[in-house]
Amino acid sequence: MEKTNFWKDVAKYGAIIGALLAVSFMLETRLMLSASFGLYALEWIVVVVLHYYLLHRFTRQYSMNNFSIETGFSFGQGYGYVLSVSAVAGIIVGVVQYLYLHLFIGYANYTERIANTFTEYIAQNGGVPASMESMLAQTFEQLQNAPEPSMLKTVWGGTFSGVLFGAIFGLIIAGVLARAPKPFDNTAANE
């Protein structure tokens, strides 16, 4: 059993998951701007499954490397690990979101393109009922006139989103990987 440093593991695996989610964000943004909503949904599902798989795998690896059969691996230890990895991943995603939307695309361009994409998509699919036209127009106007979020708000949003997914996935992962200590298990000593 090779003991690893908690924060080193969290940083390394948080960066891997953060990179995956950051690339996913950029791809999803491109798909949304091109009105490829079917591909957008497929990509989102694939990334959610991969995100869960990686969190589960990294947490399992951490538990096997640092906690023997004799000491066990508690729900709290697993949940804390998943939340920590998710927070690091969320910070990375938040930074990439800010850079991509504000520096690469341009936030005003992004909001204008989103409004245009949805307007064209709605028009191609039969439009909206007359009773909803004013509400939709108002929504698009608010989107375009909303103040540009700061870097801190964008990073906080990415971190919150990462921790939220980690909190949900962590309940499952920590529950599945938790194991009671077995201080008198002779099988580990005989190997």
Side-chain angles (χ1 to χ4, degrees):
M1 182 170 65
E2 174 190 326
K3 292 251 184 201
T4 58
N5 182 308
F6 176 82
W7 291 111
K8 184 179 174 185
D9 261 16
V10 164
K12 180 168 89 174
Y13 296 129
I16 291 170
I17 292 173
L20 166 76
L21 296 176
V23 168
S24 169
F25 168 77
M26 291 185 290
L27 180 59
E28 287 172 1
T29 302
R30 284 288 175 205
L31 290 172
M32 190 182 323
L33 292 174
S34 66
S36 301
F37 298 116
L39 286 175
Y40 176 90
L42 178 63
E43 188 274 345
W44 188 85
I45 291 168
V46 168
V47 168
V48 167
V49 169
L50 187 57
H51 183 185
Y52 176 86
Y53 168 76
L54 289 175
L55 274 175
H56 188 275
R57 179 176 172 220
F58 296 151
T59 306
R60 183 175 180 273
Q61 183 177 335
Y62 173 72
S63 76
M64 295 304 203
N65 287 343
N66 293 292
F67 300 92
S68 67
I69 292 173
E70 293 85 19
T71 60
F73 186 66
S74 73
F75 176 87
Q77 290 166 322
Y79 199 61
Y81 184 79
V82 170
L83 289 177
S84 299
V85 169
S86 297
V88 170
I91 291 169
I92 291 168
V93 170
V95 169
V96 169
Q97 282 177 343
Y98 181 81
L99 295 174
Y100 188 69
L101 291 179
H102 296 264
L103 299 179
F104 186 72
I105 294 178
Y107 193 75
N109 182 33
Y110 169 73
T111 57
E112 182 180 323
R113 287 177 64 187
I114 286 288
N116 290 340
T117 298
F118 280 104
T119 303
E120 290 171 14
Y121 183 78
I122 290 167
Q124 290 173 354
N125 292 302
V128 294
S131 61
M132 293 186 65
E133 280 184 19
S134 65
M135 183 185 76
L136 194 59
Q138 184 181 8
T139 301
F140 289 147
E141 185 180 333
Q142 285 177 347
L143 174 67
Q144 290 176 325
N145 294 333
E148 189 173 316
S150 68
M151 182 169 188
L152 186 60
K153 282 184 180 180
T154 306
V155 172
W156 169 246
T159 305
F160 180 77
S161 177
V163 171
L164 182 63
F165 265 95
I168 294 167
F169 288 161
L171 290 172
I172 300 165
I173 293 168
V176 169
L177 296 178
R179 61 184 192 278
K182 297 180 181 177
F184 303 110
D185 189 354
N186 291 333
T187 59
N190 292 335
E191 293 178 3

